[in-house]
C-alpha cells in the first residue's frame, strides 16, 4: 500500500528546514477512509518519527494524531524492548510483521501487531498496527491456566494419565502413575506395548468401550497385576480408578483420562483386620470359659457356648445388654447395688474395671450362680472406649465351699490341712502368710510358725523377686501371672522347684486374701527332659537306620551286577528261543530291582548327607542327563527340546539336582504313548538371582487329577504302571531340602507338565 501525502518538493524543503513535519498537501477521500479504520495506520521516516497517523491512534494509544506526528515511535514503546529501539524495518524486499508493547496514554500496556513496508523512493515506512492486547491477555491467561494445570497434574496426590486415540497412546503421565506401573519411557507408546500383561485382565476391552461409547468406567479396590521391570513376575495391586472419555473442541472423543489411587495397603490392611477379627471370634467361641463381648453401648455382640450355658439362655445379639442376666450383689452389705458401680460399667466408662466386684447371675429356671467378671475394655486410636470383652469365672462351687468352711472351723481345718495339694493363704495387700496346710509345710520344709513370719516373696528365688514390689500399694504389683501360672519356689534347704499355682480371691477372717494352691511339677519337668533325651536317641537311631539302608542297598547291587553279566553270556552263547526269552524276563526283573535299589540309595543319601552348594551349569547338566538316558529302549523316536535362560549363575547341591532331573526325565520317557507320531520332551525355564524355575513337559499318557497328590507318596504306584513307587517321593523330598517346590499339571491321556522352582542358594 503506497500513499503519497506530500509532494517531493515539500519533503525536500522540510528536510532542509528540519523544523516542521507537517505537510501542506492534504489527503481527501483516501485519508478519510483511513481515519475510519479500526487499525492504527501511520507512516514514519528514516529516524522513526511519525509523519502521518490516522485517528485510530486515539482509541488505541489514547493520543490524537497531532500529539504523535513529529515524535519517535520508540518514545511510546514499553521499556523492555529498549535494546532494539533504534532498529530499522527491513521492508525493501518483503512485508515485515512483528509485535511490540506500547505504553497507552493512561500508562497501560498495549500489544500491537505491526505490518510494515519500506518505500525506498519516499524514504518512508508505511505501517498498520492492530491492537492484539485482548488476544495477548487471553493467551497469557491460557498459559497461566495451562501451567497451573500441569503443576496440579504433576503434584496431584493421585496417579493420572492421558491416553490419545483409539490405540490408547500415552500422551501424559504423572510421577505417581510411573511409580505405579514401574516404567519410565512410556510417552508416545500405546498401552498394549507398555503393559501387555493387562490384556488377559480385560483392561484393554474396558478402554476400547470407554473410547467408543464415551461411558466412563470406575472401579473400587479392583485387583490389577503389573509386571514391574518386565521380569515376568506379576505384582498384585488394588486400585480405585476411573476411565473417562476426553473430548476435543468439536465434542468428539479423542482420548481417555485416567485418575486413580493405589489402595493396596488399605485393602491388605483391611484383609488382615478381617482375618484378625475372624481369629478373635474363633478364639472367643473356642474358649472353654464363659466369654462375651459388648459394644460401647453395652449391647452384646458376641458370646460363646460356655457363656450361654452359664446364663441358661442365648441372648439376642445387638439388642440384649451385658447385664440382662445379672443380679448385682454386694457381698458385704448383702443388697443390690447400682449397675453403674459394677466392674463392666466402670470398664466402659473409665477404662479401669474393678476386678474384685462379684456378681450373681440368675438363670431363667431360678438357678443362681456366683460369678467374678473380668472385663477388658477396647480403645480406638483416639483412646476412646469402643467396647469390652468379659470373661466370667463361675465361683459358685468355691462360694459354697467357703460357706461350708465358715460353718465348721474344724471341717475347714481338716479340709485345708489334709488337701493333697500345698495350700497357702496370703494377705492381699501385704503378701504376709495368714495360713498354710500340712502339705505346704511338708513340701517346703518350713514350720507353720516360720511360714506365718514370712511373706510370699520370701519363697521366691532372688531372680524372680524383681517382678514384684513389696508394697502395700497393690497397683504396683506385677499381675501378669497373678491368678495362675508356673513359678519357681525355694525350699528351706535351698532347693528350687517349679510349681504350678492357682489362686483365688477370698475373704479370710473378714479380710481380703488370696487362696493359693500349688503343685510341684518337678516330675513333669523331668519327664519333659526324658522326652527330649528320647527324641535325641530316636534321631540317632534314624541316622543309624539310614546308614544301614545305604550299606545294605549298596551291597545288594554287586550280586545284581554279576547276575546281569551271566545273563549277557547266556544271551551271547545260547540260540534257544525259550532260553533267550526267559533270560530277557530275568534281565527286566533285575533291572527293575536295580532301579529300586538305586532309588533306595538316593533316598538314604538325600536324608544322610548335608548340602554341598556349588555353581551348576544348568543347560550343560540337562544335556548330559538326556544323553545318558538316550540308552533307554523307550527313548527311541522322542524329540528333546531344551532351553534354560541362565540370566544369573545358579547355585545348588549337584547330587540332589541330578536326582531330580533323572527321575522326572526318565519318567517322561518311560510313560510315553507308543502310538504317538511326534513324541517329545520339552525342558524350558530361566534362572535369576533368586530362583531357578523350569518345566518338564511331555505328550505321554498323562495322570488323572485324582492322583496328583498321591504320586508324591512313598510306594504309591498307579494301577498297571511299572516302577518302585519311590522315585517321585525322592524328587519331592530333594526339592524340599533345596528349598523349592513342585506342582503337576496333567490329565489322563493329555501329557504331563511338572513345574519346579528351586532357590538359588548363593544369590548374586
Amino acid at each position: 500500500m503506497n500513499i503519497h501525502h506530500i509532494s517531493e518538493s515539500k519533503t525536500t524543503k522540510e528536510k532542509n528546514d528540519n523544523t516542521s513535519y507537517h505537510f501542506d498537501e492534504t489527503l481527501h477521500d483516501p485519508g478519510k477512509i483511513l481515519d475510519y479504520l479500526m487499525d492504527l495506520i501511520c507512516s514514519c521516516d528514516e529516524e522513526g518519527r511519525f509523519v502521518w497517523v490516522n485517528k485510530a491512534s486515539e482509541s488505541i494509544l489514547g493520543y490524537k494524531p497531532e500529539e504523535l506526528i513529529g515524535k519517535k515511535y520508540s518514545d511510546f514503546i514499553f521499556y523492555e524492548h529498549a535494546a532494539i529501539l533504534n532498529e530499522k524495518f527491513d521492508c525493501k524486499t518483503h512485508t515485515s510483521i512483528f509485535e511490540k508493547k506500547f505504553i497507552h496514554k493512561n500508562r497501560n500496556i498495549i500489544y500491537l501487531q505491526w505490518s510494515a513496508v519500506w518505500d525506498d523512493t519516499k524514504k518512508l515506512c508505511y505501517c498498520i498496527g492492530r491492537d492484539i492486547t485482548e488476544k495477548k491477555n487471553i493467551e497469557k491467561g491460557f498459559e497461566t491456566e495451562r501451567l497451573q494445570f500441569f503443576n496440579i497434574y504433576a503434584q496431584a496426590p493421585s496417579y493420572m494419565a492421558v491416553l490419545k486415540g483409539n490405540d490408547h497412546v500415552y500422551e501424559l503421565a504423572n510421577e505417581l502413575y510411573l511409580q505405579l506401573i514401574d516404567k519410565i519411557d512410556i510417552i508416545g507408546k500405546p498401552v498394549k506395548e507398555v503393559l501387555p500383561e493387562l490384556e488377559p485382565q480385560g483392561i484393554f476391552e474396558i478402554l476400547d468401550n470407554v473410547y467408543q461409547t464415551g461411558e466412563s468406567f470406575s472401579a473400587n479396590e479392583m485387583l490389577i497385576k503389573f509386571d514391574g521391570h518386565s521380569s515376568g513376575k506379576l505384582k498384585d495391586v488394588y486400585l480405585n480408578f476411573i476411565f473417562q472419555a476426553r473430548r476435543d473442541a468439536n465434542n468428539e472423543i479423542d482420548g481417555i483420562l485416567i485418575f486413580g489411587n493405589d489402595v493396596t495397603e488399605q485393602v491388605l490392611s483391611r484383609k488382615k483386620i478381617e482375618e484378625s477379627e475372624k481369629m478373635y471370634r474363633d478364639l472367643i467361641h473356642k474358649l472353654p470359659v464363659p466369654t462375651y463381648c459388648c459394644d460401647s453401648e453395652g449391647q452384646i455382640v458376641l458370646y460363646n457356648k460356655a457363656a450361654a450355658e452359664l446364663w441358661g439362655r442365648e441372648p439376642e445379639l445387638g439388642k440384649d445388654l451385658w447385664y440382662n442376666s445379672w443380679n448385682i450383689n454386694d457381698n458385704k452389705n448383702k443388697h443390690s447395688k447400682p449397675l453403674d458401680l459394677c466392674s463392666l460399667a466402670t470398664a466402659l466408662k473409665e477404662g479401669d474395671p474393678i476386678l474384685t466386684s462379684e456378681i450373681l447371675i440368675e438363670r431363667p429356671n431360678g438357678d443362681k450362680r456366683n460369678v467374678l467378671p473380668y472385663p477388658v475394655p477396647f480403645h480406638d486410636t483416639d483412646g476412646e472406649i469402643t467396647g469390652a470383652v468379659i470373661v466370667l469365672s463361675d465361683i459358685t462351687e468355691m462360694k459354697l465351699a467357703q460357706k461350708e468352711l465358715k460353718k465348721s472351723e474344724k471341717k475347714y481345718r481338716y479340709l485345708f490341712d489334709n488337701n493333697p495339694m500345698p495350700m497357702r493363704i496370703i494377705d492381699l495387700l501385704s503378701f504376709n502368710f495368714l495360713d498354710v496346710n500340712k502339705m505346704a509345710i511338708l513340701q517346703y520344709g518350713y514350720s507353720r510358725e516360720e511360714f506365718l513370719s514370712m511373706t510370699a516373696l520370701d519363697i521366691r528365688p532372688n531372680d524372680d523377686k524383681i517382678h514384684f514390689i513389696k508394697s502395700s500399694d497393690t497397683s504396683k504389683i506385677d499381675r501378669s501371672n497373678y491368678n495362675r501360672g508356673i513359678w519357681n519356689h525355694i525350699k528351706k534347704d535351698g532347693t528350687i522347684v517349679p510349681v504350678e499355682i492357682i489362686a483365688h480371691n477370698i475373704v479370710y477372717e473378714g479380710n481380703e486374701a488370696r487362696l493359693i494352691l500349688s503343685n510341684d511339677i518337678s516330675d513333669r519337668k523331668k519327664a519333659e527332659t526324658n522326652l527330649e533325651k528320647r527324641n535325641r536317641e530316636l534321631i540317632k537311631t534314624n541316622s543309624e537306620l539310614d546308614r544301614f539302608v545305604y550299606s545294605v542297598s549298596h551291597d545288594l547291587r554287586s550280586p545284581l551286577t554279576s547276575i546281569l553279566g551271566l545273563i549277557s553270556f547266556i544271551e551271547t552263547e545260547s540260540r534257544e528261543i525259550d532260553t533267550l526269552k526267559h533270560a530277557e524276563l530275568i534281565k527286566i526283573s533285575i533291572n527293575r530291582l536295580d532301579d529300586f535299589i538305586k532309588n533306595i540309595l538316593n533316598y538314604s543319601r538325600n536324608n544322610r548327607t548335608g548340602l554341598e552348594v556349588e555353581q551348576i551349569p544348568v543347560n550343560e547338566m540337562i544335556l548330559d542327563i538326556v544323553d545318558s538316558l538316550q540308552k533307554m529302549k523307550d527313548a527311541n523316536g522322542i524329540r528333546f527340546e531344551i532351553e534354560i535362560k541362565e540370566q544369573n549363575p545358579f547355585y545348588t547341591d549337584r547330587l540332589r539336582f541330578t536326582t531330580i532331573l533323572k527321575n522326572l526325565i526318565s519318567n517322561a520317557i518311560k510313560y510315553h504313548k507308543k502310538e504317538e507320531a511326534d513324541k517329545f520332551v520339552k525342558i524350558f525355564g530361566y534362572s535369576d538371582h533368586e530362583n531357578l524355575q523350569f518345566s518338564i513337559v511331555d505328550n505321554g499318557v498323562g495322570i488323572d487329577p485324582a492322583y496328583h497328590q498321591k504320586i508324591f507318596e512313598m510306594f504309591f504306584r498307579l494301577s498297571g504302571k511299572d516302577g518302585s513307587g519311590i522315585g517321585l517321593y525322592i524328587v519331592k523330598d530333594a526339592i524340599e531340602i533345596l528349598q523349592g517346590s513342585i506342582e503337576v499339571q496333567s490329565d489322563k491321556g493329555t501329557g504331563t507338565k511338572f513345574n519346579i522352582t528351586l532357590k538359588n542358594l548363593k544369590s548374586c
Side-chain angles (χ1 to χ4, degrees), residues 79-101:
Y79 69 91
E80 69 176 9
H81 291 148
I84 54 174
L85 290 180
N86 296 321
E87 69 178 20
K88 293 185 179 180
F89 307 128
D90 185 11
C91 302
K92 297 180 180 180
T93 59
H94 61 276
T95 301
S96 177
I97 298 177
F98 56 94
E99 294 179 4
K100 287 194 182 294
K101 292 181 183 179

Side-chain angles (χ1 to χ4, degrees), residues 374-510:
Y374 296 90
V376 178
F378 295 145
H379 298 83
D380 59 18
T381 55
D382 297 325
E384 296 294 328
I385 297 174
T386 59
V389 60
I390 304 98
V391 178
L392 301 176
S393 177
D394 188 350
I395 59 171
T396 305
E397 284 71 21
M398 188 181 73
K399 293 286 290 185
L400 293 174
Q402 288 177 354
K403 290 179 181 180
E404 291 298 323
L405 286 174
K406 289 180 180 179
K407 289 180 182 179
S408 174
E409 180 63 26
K410 183 177 181 180
K411 185 177 181 179
Y412 156 75
R413 177 51 58 185
Y414 177 81
L415 292 173
F416 183 76
D417 278 343
N418 294 280
N419 194 295
M421 292 183 66
M423 300 176 66
R424 307 178 303 282
I425 298 176
I426 64 172
D427 184 88
L428 192 61
L429 298 178
S430 66
F431 285 101
N432 291 326
F433 284 109
L434 302 178
D435 204 352
V436 293
N437 69 351
K438 293 178 181 178
M439 188 58 68
I441 294 172
L442 180 64
Q443 183 183 43
Y444 291 96
Y446 297 103
S447 67
R448 177 180 172 81
E449 289 72 21
E450 288 175 321
F451 260 120
L452 297 181
S453 65
M454 299 163 58
T455 70
L457 295 178
D458 293 330
I459 62 171
R460 300 290 301 277
N462 289 332
D463 292 342
D464 289 351
K465 289 180 182 179
I466 61 174
H467 299 295
F468 289 82
I469 298 176
K470 187 176 179 182
S471 170
S472 59
D473 184 359
T474 57
S475 64
K476 297 181 180 179
I477 298 173
D478 179 6
R479 298 175 182 267
S480 59
N481 57 353
Y482 200 50
N483 293 319
R484 70 173 58 230
I486 296 176
W487 292 356
N488 287 325
H489 281 174
I490 185 169
K491 296 181 178 181
K492 186 175 181 179
D493 62 5
T495 304
I496 297 177
V497 295
V499 296
E500 187 175 33
I501 67 101
I502 301 174
H504 292 284
N505 287 358
I506 63 172
V507 177
Y508 180 80
E509 296 180 354

Side-chain angles (χ1 to χ4, degrees), residues 556-568:
L556 282 175
R557 293 199 66 205
S558 295
L560 291 180
T561 305
S562 300
I563 294 172
L564 287 173
L566 293 173
I567 292 174
S568 297

Side-chain angles (χ1 to χ4, degrees), residues 124-140:
L124 292 175
C125 181
Y126 302 102
C127 306
I128 300 177
R130 175 163 294 174
D131 187 353
I132 58 170
T133 303
E134 184 175 354
K135 175 187 172 185
K136 281 293 185 178
N137 290 335
I138 292 174
E139 289 177 352
K140 187 175 181 181

Side-chain angles (χ1 to χ4, degrees), residues 640-761:
F640 291 90
E641 296 181 13
I642 302 169
E643 185 181 3
I644 302 293
K645 297 179 180 179
E646 300 182 61
Q647 300 173 0
N648 293 87
F650 177 65
Y651 292 81
T652 191
D653 183 277
R654 179 183 291 271
L655 178 61
R656 290 179 173 86
F657 186 56
T658 303
T659 300
I660 294 167
L661 291 174
K662 277 189 174 180
N663 273 279
L664 294 176
I665 298 173
S666 63
N667 280 351
I669 295 172
K670 187 185 299 181
Y671 297 116
H672 255 89
K673 298 176 184 177
K674 305 299 181 184
E675 69 281 1
E676 183 72 33
D678 181 23
K679 298 185 288 185
F680 64 79
V681 175
K682 299 179 181 180
I683 306 170
F684 56 88
Y686 68 92
S687 67
D688 56 27
H689 69 284
E690 292 183 353
N691 299 299
L692 167 64
Q693 296 184 355
F694 66 98
S695 299
I696 299 178
V697 184
D698 64 63
N699 57 347
V701 297
I703 304 170
D704 193 306
Y707 302 115
H708 282 187
Q709 295 303 318
K710 290 182 176 293
I711 60 175
F712 296 108
E713 296 177 2
M714 184 178 284
F715 301 126
F716 176 80
R717 292 189 300 173
L718 293 172
S719 176
K721 303 296 182 184
D722 295 333
S724 62
I726 196 174
L728 288 178
Y729 174 81
I730 293 173
V731 167
K732 192 170 190 302
D733 195 40
I735 287 174
E736 289 176 350
I737 290 175
L738 296 180
Q739 303 180 42
S741 62
I742 182 172
E743 67 171 10
V744 59
Q745 297 176 354
S746 181
D747 210 340
K748 192 171 182 180
T750 62
T752 303
K753 179 180 181 182
F754 285 98
N755 298 316
I756 302 98
T757 300
L758 298 177
K759 183 178 180 181
N760 196 337
L761 298 180

Side-chain angles (χ1 to χ4, degrees), residues 531-555:
L531 181 60
E532 292 178 0
K533 181 179 179 182
R534 291 180 64 186
N535 285 338
R536 289 195 297 270
E537 292 174 351
L538 182 60
I539 293 172
K540 180 181 178 183
T541 301
N542 287 337
S543 176
E544 292 173 349
L545 181 60
D546 284 341
R547 288 196 296 272
F548 172 75
V549 169
Y550 176 78
S551 178
V552 170
S553 302
H554 188 272
D555 292 342

